[in-house]
Amino acid sequence: MKAMLLDAQGQPLRLAEVPRPKPEADQVLLEVRACGVCRTDLHVMDGDLQHPRLPLVLGHEIVGVVVEKGARVERFALGQRLGVPWLGHTCGHCRYCASASENLCDAAEFTGYTLNGGYAEFALADQRYCFALPNEYPDAEAAPLLCAGLIGYRSLVAAGDARRLGIYGFGAAAHIIAQVARWQGREIFAFTKPGDTDGQQFARQLGAAWAGDAGSAPPQEMDAAILFAPAGELVPQALRHTVKGGTVVCAGIHMSNIPEFPYAILWGERCVRSVANLTRRDGEEFFAIAPKAGVRTEVTRFPLESANEALQQLRAGQIRGAAVLVTG
């Protein structure tokens, strides 16, 4: 099969012919139809996330059809369409797994990082960590839901019942979760890179009440903010515009250092917290909500062989919505 391989961090991906994998007892083999291109893939490529399995097939927003399955697979049938997310395996018995926090499992495995992912024609996945996908979404449009959607949803839950919600970085996750937040009746303030008027207009089209540069003040104080942009300097910026008792959620798996800031902007029981990975429960809840909320994803399609170009456009901020690799 064809696959785009990462041989070493700091290098572009290499198109290669590799053996088609065989499923073990609890695994399904998927013929990949689409795989989203996520900023986490850039973090793995660039070395921000260390110690990946190498050589590695990136990609953790996989949509595919079951073409082969292991002896113990009973959840899914041949020919069924599934989604594969970032969380690929957990130990099931540590204190985190035992307390509904499997996303924090110290022995967790991650798709496209410690497990081969979906930048390929076929991909393996553990049946216990796959999702049946809503029929409302075609393959390419479903792919971003599997990370941008799921992490966005977990971040939205972490933000509490904030009526006025700030979103910093209006990319794949933000464009999905803004739709859910608007469906819930929240008011959205969208923050983009300075001068990104196209991104600001996109946010307004998706229902944002206000959109402006990340360094700007919103028209009113925010009850909470979610930072999808991996820029630590935005944390104190968001705190300055968040009400007492409000929460600033850092949604990225990697972020640049947070600069020193005065205690006064944290005081007042404001909270800064991170979101790490996802749980299977997040997926079940989000995939039930997304169609009801009328969530639609905007995607730019690339052939598998153009994965490096898709990653470069993502790095340069040239993708509106989400980038998706498609096969066939």
Side-chain angles (χ1 to χ4, degrees):
M1 69 174 187
K2 292 180 181 177
M4 296 297 293
L5 291 181
L6 177 67
D7 293 310
Q9 290 180 299
Q11 294 184 5
L13 306 183
R14 173 176 60 90
L15 179 63
E17 287 283 346
V18 299
R20 174 171 153 171
K22 295 288 294 182
E24 296 182 0
D26 287 306
Q27 291 181 318
V28 290
L29 178 67
L30 302 179
E31 183 175 7
V32 177
R33 289 182 172 177
C35 185
V37 178
C38 179
R39 184 162 294 277
T40 300
D41 300 335
L42 284 175
H43 292 317
V44 175
M45 281 187 66
D46 294 347
D48 298 323
L49 298 182
Q50 299 181 354
H51 310 301
R53 167 185 172 173
L54 293 174
L56 175 69
V57 180
L58 293 173
H60 55 275
E61 297 177 322
I62 307 170
V63 177
V65 173
V66 179
V67 293
E68 193 174 347
K69 60 183 189 174
R72 291 199 295 262
V73 175
E74 296 180 351
R75 292 186 63 208
F76 304 115
L78 292 175
Q80 187 170 355
R81 188 179 74 148
L82 304 180
V84 182
W86 170 249
L87 186 68
H89 184 77
T90 59
C91 74
H93 55 74
C94 69
R95 62 176 178 172
Y96 301 112
C97 290
S99 60
S101 298
E102 65 180 4
N103 58 309
L104 303 179
C105 174
D106 288 329
E109 299 276 359
F110 301 106
T111 311
Y113 181 39
T114 62
L115 303 169
N116 278 329
Y119 286 21
E121 293 179 314
F122 295 89
L124 285 177
D126 188 318
Q127 63 162 337
R128 296 164 293 189
Y129 298 84
C130 297
F131 298 111
L133 297 172
N135 293 328
E136 289 86 344
Y137 298 97
D139 299 332
E141 286 75 6
L145 301 176
L146 286 153
C147 183
L150 292 180
I151 292 298
Y153 174 73
R154 187 171 181 85
S155 301
L156 184 63
V157 172
D161 60 358
R163 189 172 74 84
R164 293 193 181 98
L165 178 68
I167 299 179
Y168 287 78
F170 212 83
H175 100 283
I176 292 171
I177 220 59
Q179 297 176 65
V180 177
R182 288 295 301 126
W183 175 71
Q184 293 174 336
R186 305 174 193 242
E187 189 174 14
I188 303 299
F189 300 150
F191 299 84
T192 70
K193 290 181 179 179
D196 184 8
T197 55
D198 288 342
Q200 292 164 20
Q201 178 61 25
F202 185 35
R204 294 188 194 98
Q205 290 172 1
L206 291 175
W210 175 90
D213 293 350
S216 302
Q220 295 170 287
E221 282 190 305
M222 304 177 296
D223 298 308
I226 301 174
L227 276 61
F228 292 116
E233 65 270 19
L234 294 178
V235 172
Q237 180 73 10
L239 279 170
R240 288 187 175 93
H241 302 301
T242 301
V243 298
K244 289 182 284 188
T247 300
V248 173
V249 181
C250 302
I253 194 170
H254 173 80
M255 177 178 277
S256 60
N257 290 342
I258 300 172
E260 180 178 299
F261 59 85
Y263 177 65
I265 64 174
L266 179 64
W267 188 79
E269 299 193 350
R270 295 176 180 87
C271 174
V272 177
R273 62 160 298 174
S274 67
V275 163
N277 312 315
L278 60 106
T279 67
R280 286 171 284 182
R281 181 176 177 177
D282 295 329
E284 293 163 3
E285 292 179 358
F286 176 67
F287 287 124
I289 287 173
K292 295 177 183 178
V295 170
R296 291 293 177 264
T297 57
E298 182 160 335
V299 300
T300 301
R301 294 168 175 79
F302 296 83
L304 176 64
E305 295 83 355
S306 297
N308 286 310
E309 174 61 23
L311 287 160
Q312 180 53 39
Q313 288 193 28
L314 177 62
R315 187 193 303 279
Q318 297 171 341
I319 299 295
R320 174 172 160 135
V324 177
L325 303 182
V326 293
T327 59

